Amino acid sequence: TYKYNPSEQKPNCVGKAEPGTVVRVVDAFNKECKPGKIGEIVLSGQDISKSCPNPYYIGDVGFKDQAGDLFIVGRKDEQIKVGGYRVSLSQYMNIYNKYRSGVFSVVNPGTQWHEVAIIFETNESLKKIKKYVNKIAPPVSQCCRPKWIFTIKKLPLTATGKINKQ
Protein backbone atom coordinates (compact mmCIF):
# COMPACT_ATOMS: atom_id res chain seq x y z
CA THR A 1 0.00 0.00 0.00
CA TYR A 2 2.99 2.29 0.24
CA LYS A 3 6.21 2.40 -1.69
CA TYR A 4 9.11 1.47 0.56
CA ASN A 5 11.73 4.14 0.12
CA PRO A 6 14.65 3.66 2.52
CA SER A 7 17.03 6.57 2.59
CA GLU A 8 20.16 7.47 4.51
CA GLN A 9 18.81 11.01 4.69
CA LYS A 10 15.55 9.76 6.24
CA PRO A 11 16.20 6.82 8.59
CA ASN A 12 13.03 4.96 9.68
CA CYS A 13 11.13 6.33 6.69
CA VAL A 14 8.51 3.97 5.27
CA GLY A 15 7.95 5.94 2.07
CA LYS A 16 4.99 7.32 0.13
CA ALA A 17 1.61 5.83 -0.74
CA GLU A 18 1.42 3.78 -3.93
CA PRO A 19 -0.98 5.06 -6.63
CA GLY A 20 -4.50 3.89 -5.73
CA THR A 21 -3.88 4.15 -1.99
CA VAL A 22 -4.26 7.16 0.26
CA VAL A 23 -2.32 7.20 3.53
CA ARG A 24 -3.48 9.76 6.09
CA VAL A 25 -2.28 10.54 9.60
CA VAL A 26 -5.19 11.71 11.77
CA ASP A 27 -5.71 12.97 15.31
CA ALA A 28 -8.33 11.75 17.82
CA PHE A 29 -10.97 13.86 16.02
CA ASN A 30 -10.15 12.25 12.63
CA LYS A 31 -8.61 15.52 11.39
CA GLU A 32 -5.50 15.38 9.21
CA CYS A 33 -2.33 15.99 11.25
CA LYS A 34 0.15 18.63 10.15
CA PRO A 35 3.57 17.40 8.96
CA GLY A 36 5.66 16.18 11.90
CA LYS A 37 2.66 15.69 14.23
CA ILE A 38 2.08 12.10 15.37
CA GLY A 39 -1.35 10.55 14.81
CA GLU A 40 -3.05 7.31 13.80
CA ILE A 41 -2.33 5.99 10.30
CA VAL A 42 -5.38 5.44 8.08
CA LEU A 43 -5.39 3.74 4.66
CA SER A 44 -8.06 4.18 1.99
CA GLY A 45 -8.46 3.75 -1.73
CA GLN A 46 -9.01 1.16 -4.42
CA ASP A 47 -6.09 -1.04 -3.34
CA ILE A 48 -7.40 -1.72 0.18
CA SER A 49 -8.39 -5.36 0.60
CA LYS A 50 -12.11 -6.05 0.26
CA SER A 51 -11.93 -7.84 3.63
CA CYS A 52 -10.86 -4.58 5.33
CA PRO A 53 -13.05 -1.56 6.00
CA ASN A 54 -12.35 1.43 3.77
CA PRO A 55 -10.96 3.63 5.32
CA TYR A 56 -8.85 1.19 7.35
CA TYR A 57 -7.42 2.29 10.70
CA ILE A 58 -4.34 0.06 10.88
CA GLY A 59 -3.52 0.62 14.57
CA ASP A 60 -0.07 2.09 13.87
CA VAL A 61 0.83 5.64 14.82
CA GLY A 62 3.27 7.84 12.98
CA PHE A 63 3.70 11.06 11.09
CA LYS A 64 4.37 12.45 7.63
CA ASP A 65 7.13 14.91 6.90
CA GLN A 66 6.83 18.00 4.65
CA ALA A 67 7.55 15.85 1.58
CA GLY A 68 4.72 13.43 2.45
CA ASP A 69 6.98 10.54 3.47
CA LEU A 70 5.49 8.33 6.20
CA PHE A 71 7.28 7.39 9.43
CA ILE A 72 5.79 4.72 11.74
CA VAL A 73 6.68 5.25 15.40
CA GLY A 74 4.52 2.76 17.31
CA ARG A 75 1.15 1.14 17.90
CA LYS A 76 -2.15 2.48 19.16
CA ASP A 77 -3.04 -0.88 20.66
CA GLU A 78 -1.11 -3.88 21.92
CA GLN A 79 -2.14 -6.38 19.22
CA ILE A 80 0.10 -6.98 16.22
CA LYS A 81 0.30 -9.48 13.37
CA VAL A 82 3.55 -11.47 13.32
CA GLY A 83 4.07 -14.00 10.54
CA GLY A 84 0.31 -14.17 9.98
CA TYR A 85 -0.56 -14.67 13.67
CA ARG A 86 -2.29 -12.08 15.86
CA VAL A 87 -0.25 -11.60 19.03
CA SER A 88 -0.63 -9.27 22.00
CA LEU A 89 2.60 -7.52 22.98
CA SER A 90 1.73 -8.24 26.61
CA GLN A 91 2.13 -11.96 25.79
CA TYR A 92 5.80 -11.28 25.14
CA MET A 93 6.20 -9.34 28.37
CA ASN A 94 4.49 -12.12 30.34
CA ILE A 95 6.49 -14.95 28.84
CA TYR A 96 9.85 -13.22 29.39
CA ASN A 97 8.84 -12.17 32.90
CA LYS A 98 12.20 -12.92 34.56
CA TYR A 99 13.28 -9.42 33.47
CA ARG A 100 11.62 -6.05 33.22
CA SER A 101 11.26 -5.50 29.50
CA GLY A 102 9.87 -3.18 26.88
CA VAL A 103 8.30 -4.77 23.82
CA PHE A 104 7.94 -2.87 20.57
CA SER A 105 6.77 -3.72 17.09
CA VAL A 106 8.24 -2.63 13.79
CA VAL A 107 6.46 -3.01 10.45
CA ASN A 108 8.40 -5.10 7.93
CA PRO A 109 7.86 -3.18 4.66
CA GLY A 110 8.25 -6.34 2.58
CA THR A 111 5.39 -8.25 4.21
CA GLN A 112 3.39 -5.50 5.98
CA TRP A 113 3.53 -7.73 9.07
CA HIS A 114 5.13 -6.68 12.30
CA GLU A 115 8.39 -7.86 13.75
CA VAL A 116 9.12 -7.70 17.45
CA ALA A 117 11.92 -5.94 19.30
CA ILE A 118 12.42 -6.51 23.03
CA ILE A 119 14.58 -4.39 25.31
CA PHE A 120 15.51 -6.13 28.57
CA GLU A 121 16.44 -4.10 31.65
CA THR A 122 19.53 -5.92 32.92
CA ASN A 123 23.26 -5.73 33.51
CA GLU A 124 23.69 -9.25 32.09
CA SER A 125 25.37 -9.81 28.74
CA LEU A 126 23.37 -9.76 25.53
CA LYS A 127 24.65 -13.28 24.81
CA LYS A 128 23.12 -14.56 28.08
CA ILE A 129 19.80 -12.81 27.38
CA LYS A 130 19.63 -14.31 23.86
CA LYS A 131 20.16 -17.80 25.34
CA TYR A 132 17.33 -17.12 27.82
CA VAL A 133 15.00 -15.96 25.04
CA ASN A 134 15.81 -18.98 22.85
CA LYS A 135 15.03 -21.44 25.70
CA ILE A 136 11.48 -20.13 26.13
CA ALA A 137 8.74 -21.04 23.69
CA PRO A 138 7.46 -17.96 21.86
CA PRO A 139 3.85 -16.85 22.47
CA VAL A 140 2.38 -18.41 19.32
CA SER A 141 4.91 -20.13 17.10
CA GLN A 142 8.54 -20.17 16.03
CA CYS A 143 7.90 -17.30 13.60
CA CYS A 144 6.95 -15.10 16.57
CA ARG A 145 10.43 -15.06 18.11
CA PRO A 146 11.59 -11.48 18.61
CA LYS A 147 13.65 -10.30 15.65
CA TRP A 148 15.68 -7.83 17.73
CA ILE A 149 16.88 -8.22 21.31
CA PHE A 150 18.58 -5.41 23.20
CA THR A 151 19.70 -4.83 26.78
CA ILE A 152 19.73 -1.61 28.74
CA LYS A 153 20.76 -0.92 32.33
CA LYS A 154 17.66 1.15 33.11
CA LEU A 155 14.52 1.56 31.02
CA PRO A 156 13.27 5.16 30.80
CA LEU A 157 10.06 5.67 32.74
CA THR A 158 7.18 8.14 32.56
CA ALA A 159 6.13 10.24 35.57
CA THR A 160 3.63 7.47 36.43
CA GLY A 161 6.29 4.74 36.41
CA LYS A 162 5.37 3.11 33.08
CA ILE A 163 7.97 2.38 30.44
CA ASN A 164 8.45 5.49 28.30
CA LYS A 165 8.10 4.15 24.76
CA GLN A 166 9.06 7.49 23.20
Side-chain angles (χ1 to χ4, degrees):
T1 55
Y2 48 82
K3 187 174 185 174
Y4 183 54
N5 182 23
S7 164
E8 288 181 17
Q9 289 78 32
K10 294 183 178 184
N12 304 319
C13 176
V14 176
K16 292 186 182 348
E18 290 278 8
T21 302
V22 176
V23 178
R24 296 175 46 228
V25 178
V26 299
D27 63 17
F29 302 103
N30 205 29
K31 301 251 193 251
E32 191 87 24
C33 291
K34 292 182 180 179
K37 185 169 183 332
I38 294 174
E40 185 171 2
I41 299 169
V42 182
L43 305 177
S44 60
Q46 66 190 27
D47 290 338
I48 302 301
S49 169
K50 302 236 185 285
S51 65
C52 296
N54 197 350
Y56 179 52
Y57 292 75
I58 65 173
D60 289 326
V61 293
F63 65 93
K64 286 185 179 180
D65 65 7
Q66 291 284 355
D69 287 321
L70 179 67
F71 296 77
I72 298 176
V73 298
R75 294 278 304 157
K76 183 177 177 185
D77 60 22
E78 289 288 312
Q79 191 176 74
I80 60 172
K81 195 170 190 180
V82 181
Y85 295 94
R86 291 207 176 276
V87 179
S88 169
L89 293 179
S90 61
Q91 286 179 281
Y92 284 94
M93 290 177 71
N94 291 338
I95 203 157
Y96 301 117
N97 62 5
K98 179 178 175 183
Y99 299 91
R100 185 172 190 175
S101 59
V103 183
F104 304 90
S105 68
V106 179
V107 175
N108 179 329
T111 64
Q112 306 304 309
W113 289 339
H114 290 83
E115 292 173 344
V116 175
I118 300 181
I119 302 173
F120 289 95
E121 183 179 85
T122 181
N123 288 325
E124 295 179 10
S125 72
L126 182 59
K127 187 176 181 179
K128 185 173 181 178
I129 296 299
K130 285 183 177 181
K131 278 185 181 179
Y132 167 73
V133 168
N134 287 327
K135 284 182 187 175
I136 296 175
V140 177
S141 74
Q142 187 63 27
C143 70
C144 292
R145 287 230 177 262
K147 176 135 184 173
W148 296 284
I149 301 169
F150 304 96
T151 61
I152 191 170
K153 290 183 181 181
K154 185 78 175 145
L155 287 164
L157 303 177
T158 65
T160 59
K162 295 179 182 175
I163 295 172
N164 186 342
K165 293 184 179 182
Q166 295 286 25

PDB file of all heavy atoms in Angstrom, residues 93 99-104 119-121 152 154-166:
ATOM      1  N   MET A  93       5.746  -9.807  27.065  1.00  0.00           N
ATOM      2  CA  MET A  93       6.198  -9.336  28.369  1.00  0.00           C
ATOM      3  C   MET A  93       5.938 -10.390  29.446  1.00  0.00           C
ATOM      4  O   MET A  93       6.746 -10.583  30.332  1.00  0.00           O
ATOM      5  CB  MET A  93       5.534  -8.012  28.713  1.00  0.00           C
ATOM      6  CG  MET A  93       6.058  -6.890  27.816  1.00  0.00           C
ATOM      7  SD  MET A  93       5.295  -5.312  28.087  1.00  0.00           S
ATOM      8  CE  MET A  93       5.978  -4.885  29.668  1.00  0.00           C
ATOM      9  N   TYR A  99      12.677 -10.739  33.567  1.00  0.00           N
ATOM     10  CA  TYR A  99      13.284  -9.418  33.473  1.00  0.00           C
ATOM     11  C   TYR A  99      12.203  -8.368  33.218  1.00  0.00           C
ATOM     12  O   TYR A  99      11.170  -8.673  32.637  1.00  0.00           O
ATOM     13  CB  TYR A  99      14.267  -9.356  32.297  1.00  0.00           C
ATOM     14  CG  TYR A  99      15.408 -10.319  32.410  1.00  0.00           C
ATOM     15  CD1 TYR A  99      15.323 -11.594  31.870  1.00  0.00           C
ATOM     16  CD2 TYR A  99      16.581  -9.960  33.055  1.00  0.00           C
ATOM     17  CE1 TYR A  99      16.371 -12.487  31.961  1.00  0.00           C
ATOM     18  CE2 TYR A  99      17.638 -10.846  33.165  1.00  0.00           C
ATOM     19  CZ  TYR A  99      17.528 -12.105  32.620  1.00  0.00           C
ATOM     20  OH  TYR A  99      18.562 -12.991  32.727  1.00  0.00           O
ATOM     21  N   ARG A 100      12.478  -7.155  33.632  1.00  0.00           N
ATOM     22  CA  ARG A 100      11.619  -6.047  33.215  1.00  0.00           C
ATOM     23  C   ARG A 100      11.973  -5.778  31.757  1.00  0.00           C
ATOM     24  O   ARG A 100      13.149  -5.716  31.392  1.00  0.00           O
ATOM     25  CB  ARG A 100      11.914  -4.815  34.058  1.00  0.00           C
ATOM     26  CG  ARG A 100      10.978  -3.680  33.769  1.00  0.00           C
ATOM     27  CD  ARG A 100      11.193  -2.573  34.758  1.00  0.00           C
ATOM     28  NE  ARG A 100      10.137  -1.605  34.623  1.00  0.00           N
ATOM     29  CZ  ARG A 100       9.988  -0.585  35.401  1.00  0.00           C
ATOM     30  NH1 ARG A 100      10.805  -0.395  36.411  1.00  0.00           N
ATOM     31  NH2 ARG A 100       9.021   0.266  35.196  1.00  0.00           N
ATOM     32  N   SER A 101      10.970  -5.656  30.919  1.00  0.00           N
ATOM     33  CA  SER A 101      11.257  -5.496  29.498  1.00  0.00           C
ATOM     34  C   SER A 101      10.269  -4.559  28.837  1.00  0.00           C
ATOM     35  O   SER A 101       9.152  -4.367  29.303  1.00  0.00           O
ATOM     36  CB  SER A 101      11.236  -6.861  28.789  1.00  0.00           C
ATOM     37  OG  SER A 101       9.981  -7.473  28.952  1.00  0.00           O
ATOM     38  N   GLY A 102      10.725  -3.980  27.750  1.00  0.00           N
ATOM     39  CA  GLY A 102       9.875  -3.178  26.880  1.00  0.00           C
ATOM     40  C   GLY A 102       9.760  -3.905  25.565  1.00  0.00           C
ATOM     41  O   GLY A 102      10.754  -4.371  25.012  1.00  0.00           O
ATOM     42  N   VAL A 103       8.535  -4.054  25.062  1.00  0.00           N
ATOM     43  CA  VAL A 103       8.296  -4.775  23.821  1.00  0.00           C
ATOM     44  C   VAL A 103       7.749  -3.790  22.802  1.00  0.00           C
ATOM     45  O   VAL A 103       6.827  -3.043  23.089  1.00  0.00           O
ATOM     46  CB  VAL A 103       7.303  -5.933  24.033  1.00  0.00           C
ATOM     47  CG1 VAL A 103       7.116  -6.723  22.753  1.00  0.00           C
ATOM     48  CG2 VAL A 103       7.756  -6.845  25.161  1.00  0.00           C
ATOM     49  N   PHE A 104       8.336  -3.799  21.618  1.00  0.00           N
ATOM     50  CA  PHE A 104       7.943  -2.869  20.572  1.00  0.00           C
ATOM     51  C   PHE A 104       7.760  -3.634  19.277  1.00  0.00           C
ATOM     52  O   PHE A 104       8.338  -4.688  19.075  1.00  0.00           O
ATOM     53  CB  PHE A 104       9.027  -1.801  20.382  1.00  0.00           C
ATOM     54  CG  PHE A 104       9.339  -1.070  21.655  1.00  0.00           C
ATOM     55  CD1 PHE A 104      10.326  -1.525  22.509  1.00  0.00           C
ATOM     56  CD2 PHE A 104       8.622   0.054  22.014  1.00  0.00           C
ATOM     57  CE1 PHE A 104      10.616  -0.875  23.695  1.00  0.00           C
ATOM     58  CE2 PHE A 104       8.893   0.714  23.197  1.00  0.00           C
ATOM     59  CZ  PHE A 104       9.891   0.254  24.041  1.00  0.00           C
ATOM     60  N   ILE A 119      13.475  -4.991  24.575  1.00  0.00           N
ATOM     61  CA  ILE A 119      14.583  -4.391  25.313  1.00  0.00           C
ATOM     62  C   ILE A 119      14.474  -4.888  26.754  1.00  0.00           C
ATOM     63  O   ILE A 119      13.468  -4.657  27.413  1.00  0.00           O
ATOM     64  CB  ILE A 119      14.522  -2.853  25.277  1.00  0.00           C
ATOM     65  CG1 ILE A 119      14.539  -2.368  23.828  1.00  0.00           C
ATOM     66  CG2 ILE A 119      15.686  -2.265  26.072  1.00  0.00           C
ATOM     67  CD1 ILE A 119      14.313  -0.887  23.694  1.00  0.00           C
ATOM     68  N   PHE A 120      15.499  -5.602  27.214  1.00  0.00           N
ATOM     69  CA  PHE A 120      15.508  -6.127  28.574  1.00  0.00           C
ATOM     70  C   PHE A 120      16.295  -5.188  29.479  1.00  0.00           C
ATOM     71  O   PHE A 120      17.404  -4.771  29.139  1.00  0.00           O
ATOM     72  CB  PHE A 120      16.155  -7.512  28.615  1.00  0.00           C
ATOM     73  CG  PHE A 120      15.315  -8.585  27.984  1.00  0.00           C
ATOM     74  CD1 PHE A 120      15.512  -8.951  26.663  1.00  0.00           C
ATOM     75  CD2 PHE A 120      14.335  -9.230  28.711  1.00  0.00           C
ATOM     76  CE1 PHE A 120      14.742  -9.944  26.077  1.00  0.00           C
ATOM     77  CE2 PHE A 120      13.559 -10.226  28.145  1.00  0.00           C
ATOM     78  CZ  PHE A 120      13.763 -10.577  26.827  1.00  0.00           C
ATOM     79  N   GLU A 121      15.737  -4.892  30.648  1.00  0.00           N
ATOM     80  CA  GLU A 121      16.437  -4.096  31.651  1.00  0.00           C
ATOM     81  C   GLU A 121      17.303  -5.050  32.467  1.00  0.00           C
ATOM     82  O   GLU A 121      16.795  -5.827  33.269  1.00  0.00           O
ATOM     83  CB  GLU A 121      15.437  -3.369  32.552  1.00  0.00           C
ATOM     84  CG  GLU A 121      16.097  -2.466  33.565  1.00  0.00           C
ATOM     85  CD  GLU A 121      15.080  -1.739  34.416  1.00  0.00           C
ATOM     86  OE1 GLU A 121      14.637  -2.335  35.414  1.00  0.00           O
ATOM     87  OE2 GLU A 121      14.721  -0.604  34.079  1.00  0.00           O
ATOM     88  N   ILE A 152      19.501  -2.958  28.254  1.00  0.00           N
ATOM     89  CA  ILE A 152      19.734  -1.606  28.741  1.00  0.00           C
ATOM     90  C   ILE A 152      19.807  -1.688  30.260  1.00  0.00           C
ATOM     91  O   ILE A 152      19.132  -2.518  30.877  1.00  0.00           O
ATOM     92  CB  ILE A 152      18.612  -0.653  28.261  1.00  0.00           C
ATOM     93  CG1 ILE A 152      18.963   0.814  28.514  1.00  0.00           C
ATOM     94  CG2 ILE A 152      17.283  -1.010  28.878  1.00  0.00           C
ATOM     95  CD1 ILE A 152      18.010   1.789  27.838  1.00  0.00           C
ATOM     96  N   LYS A 154      18.858   0.595  32.483  1.00  0.00           N
ATOM     97  CA  LYS A 154      17.659   1.152  33.114  1.00  0.00           C
ATOM     98  C   LYS A 154      16.719   1.644  32.024  1.00  0.00           C
ATOM     99  O   LYS A 154      17.092   2.494  31.217  1.00  0.00           O
ATOM    100  CB  LYS A 154      18.052   2.309  34.052  1.00  0.00           C
ATOM    101  CG  LYS A 154      16.914   2.866  34.848  1.00  0.00           C
ATOM    102  CD  LYS A 154      16.585   1.962  36.009  1.00  0.00           C
ATOM    103  CE  LYS A 154      15.517   2.608  36.865  1.00  0.00           C
ATOM    104  NZ  LYS A 154      14.608   1.661  37.436  1.00  0.00           N
ATOM    105  N   LEU A 155      15.509   1.098  31.986  1.00  0.00           N
ATOM    106  CA  LEU A 155      14.517   1.558  31.019  1.00  0.00           C
ATOM    107  C   LEU A 155      14.022   2.942  31.422  1.00  0.00           C
ATOM    108  O   LEU A 155      13.808   3.207  32.610  1.00  0.00           O
ATOM    109  CB  LEU A 155      13.324   0.592  30.974  1.00  0.00           C
ATOM    110  CG  LEU A 155      13.590  -0.746  30.289  1.00  0.00           C
ATOM    111  CD1 LEU A 155      12.496  -1.745  30.634  1.00  0.00           C
ATOM    112  CD2 LEU A 155      13.684  -0.577  28.785  1.00  0.00           C
ATOM    113  N   PRO A 156      13.824   3.841  30.458  1.00  0.00           N
ATOM    114  CA  PRO A 156      13.274   5.159  30.803  1.00  0.00           C
ATOM    115  C   PRO A 156      11.809   5.024  31.206  1.00  0.00           C
ATOM    116  O   PRO A 156      11.066   4.246  30.614  1.00  0.00           O
ATOM    117  CB  PRO A 156      13.426   5.947  29.498  1.00  0.00           C
ATOM    118  CG  PRO A 156      13.485   4.918  28.424  1.00  0.00           C
ATOM    119  CD  PRO A 156      14.091   3.690  29.049  1.00  0.00           C
ATOM    120  N   LEU A 157      11.418   5.760  32.229  1.00  0.00           N
ATOM    121  CA  LEU A 157      10.056   5.673  32.741  1.00  0.00           C
ATOM    122  C   LEU A 157       9.339   7.011  32.615  1.00  0.00           C
ATOM    123  O   LEU A 157       9.953   8.070  32.606  1.00  0.00           O
ATOM    124  CB  LEU A 157      10.077   5.243  34.216  1.00  0.00           C
ATOM    125  CG  LEU A 157      10.778   3.921  34.530  1.00  0.00           C
ATOM    126  CD1 LEU A 157      10.774   3.673  36.040  1.00  0.00           C
ATOM    127  CD2 LEU A 157      10.135   2.766  33.788  1.00  0.00           C
ATOM    128  N   THR A 158       8.006   6.932  32.541  1.00  0.00           N
ATOM    129  CA  THR A 158       7.183   8.137  32.562  1.00  0.00           C
ATOM    130  C   THR A 158       7.024   8.586  34.011  1.00  0.00           C
ATOM    131  O   THR A 158       7.446   7.885  34.938  1.00  0.00           O
ATOM    132  CB  THR A 158       5.792   7.865  31.958  1.00  0.00           C
ATOM    133  OG1 THR A 158       5.115   6.923  32.800  1.00  0.00           O
ATOM    134  CG2 THR A 158       5.877   7.326  30.539  1.00  0.00           C
ATOM    135  N   ALA A 159       6.365   9.719  34.205  1.00  0.00           N
ATOM    136  CA  ALA A 159       6.130  10.240  35.570  1.00  0.00           C
ATOM    137  C   ALA A 159       5.285   9.276  36.385  1.00  0.00           C
ATOM    138  O   ALA A 159       5.365   9.256  37.619  1.00  0.00           O
ATOM    139  CB  ALA A 159       5.465  11.599  35.494  1.00  0.00           C
ATOM    140  N   THR A 160       4.474   8.426  35.723  1.00  0.00           N
ATOM    141  CA  THR A 160       3.626   7.471  36.427  1.00  0.00           C
ATOM    142  C   THR A 160       4.287   6.105  36.611  1.00  0.00           C
ATOM    143  O   THR A 160       3.658   5.174  37.096  1.00  0.00           O
ATOM    144  CB  THR A 160       2.281   7.283  35.705  1.00  0.00           C
ATOM    145  OG1 THR A 160       2.541   6.825  34.369  1.00  0.00           O
ATOM    146  CG2 THR A 160       1.488   8.585  35.669  1.00  0.00           C
ATOM    147  N   GLY A 161       5.560   5.983  36.202  1.00  0.00           N
ATOM    148  CA  GLY A 161       6.288   4.737  36.414  1.00  0.00           C
ATOM    149  C   GLY A 161       6.151   3.709  35.321  1.00  0.00           C
ATOM    150  O   GLY A 161       6.675   2.600  35.423  1.00  0.00           O
ATOM    151  N   LYS A 162       5.464   4.033  34.210  1.00  0.00           N
ATOM    152  CA  LYS A 162       5.365   3.109  33.083  1.00  0.00           C
ATOM    153  C   LYS A 162       6.570   3.295  32.175  1.00  0.00           C
ATOM    154  O   LYS A 162       7.231   4.334  32.194  1.00  0.00           O
ATOM    155  CB  LYS A 162       4.078   3.391  32.293  1.00  0.00           C
ATOM    156  CG  LYS A 162       2.826   3.106  33.093  1.00  0.00           C
ATOM    157  CD  LYS A 162       1.607   3.417  32.278  1.00  0.00           C
ATOM    158  CE  LYS A 162       0.345   3.183  33.101  1.00  0.00           C
ATOM    159  NZ  LYS A 162      -0.846   3.573  32.391  1.00  0.00           N
ATOM    160  N   ILE A 163       6.856   2.283  31.358  1.00  0.00           N
ATOM    161  CA  ILE A 163       7.973   2.382  30.437  1.00  0.00           C
ATOM    162  C   ILE A 163       7.672   3.479  29.413  1.00  0.00           C
ATOM    163  O   ILE A 163       6.614   3.488  28.793  1.00  0.00           O
ATOM    164  CB  ILE A 163       8.235   1.036  29.738  1.00  0.00           C
ATOM    165  CG1 ILE A 163       8.680  -0.014  30.766  1.00  0.00           C
ATOM    166  CG2 ILE A 163       9.285   1.182  28.636  1.00  0.00           C
ATOM    167  CD1 ILE A 163       8.785  -1.408  30.214  1.00  0.00           C
ATOM    168  N   ASN A 164       8.605   4.393  29.249  1.00  0.00           N
ATOM    169  CA  ASN A 164       8.450   5.489  28.301  1.00  0.00           C
ATOM    170  C   ASN A 164       8.834   4.983  26.921  1.00  0.00           C
ATOM    171  O   ASN A 164      10.007   4.817  26.603  1.00  0.00           O
ATOM    172  CB  ASN A 164       9.329   6.674  28.703  1.00  0.00           C
ATOM    173  CG  ASN A 164       9.102   7.888  27.846  1.00  0.00           C
ATOM    174  OD1 ASN A 164       8.546   7.798  26.761  1.00  0.00           O
ATOM    175  ND2 ASN A 164       9.536   9.025  28.326  1.00  0.00           N
ATOM    176  N   LYS A 165       7.849   4.723  26.071  1.00  0.00           N
ATOM    177  CA  LYS A 165       8.097   4.148  24.762  1.00  0.00           C
ATOM    178  C   LYS A 165       8.595   5.183  23.751  1.00  0.00           C
ATOM    179  O   LYS A 165       9.037   4.825  22.676  1.00  0.00           O
ATOM    180  CB  LYS A 165       6.828   3.464  24.236  1.00  0.00           C
ATOM    181  CG  LYS A 165       6.474   2.244  25.057  1.00  0.00           C
ATOM    182  CD  LYS A 165       5.279   1.531  24.465  1.00  0.00           C
ATOM    183  CE  LYS A 165       4.965   0.291  25.294  1.00  0.00           C
ATOM    184  NZ  LYS A 165       3.858  -0.462  24.731  1.00  0.00           N
ATOM    185  N   GLN A 166       8.529   6.461  24.109  1.00  0.00           N
ATOM    186  CA  GLN A 166       9.057   7.490  23.204  1.00  0.00           C
ATOM    187  C   GLN A 166      10.549   7.307  23.088  1.00  0.00           C
ATOM    188  O   GLN A 166      11.170   7.590  22.119  1.00  0.00           O
ATOM    189  CB  GLN A 166       8.717   8.888  23.705  1.00  0.00           C
ATOM    190  CG  GLN A 166       7.237   9.180  23.702  1.00  0.00           C
ATOM    191  CD  GLN A 166       6.659   9.417  22.318  1.00  0.00           C
ATOM    192  OE1 GLN A 166       7.171   8.952  21.314  1.00  0.00           O
ATOM    193  NE2 GLN A 166       5.588  10.129  22.259  1.00  0.00           N
TER     194      GLN A 166
END
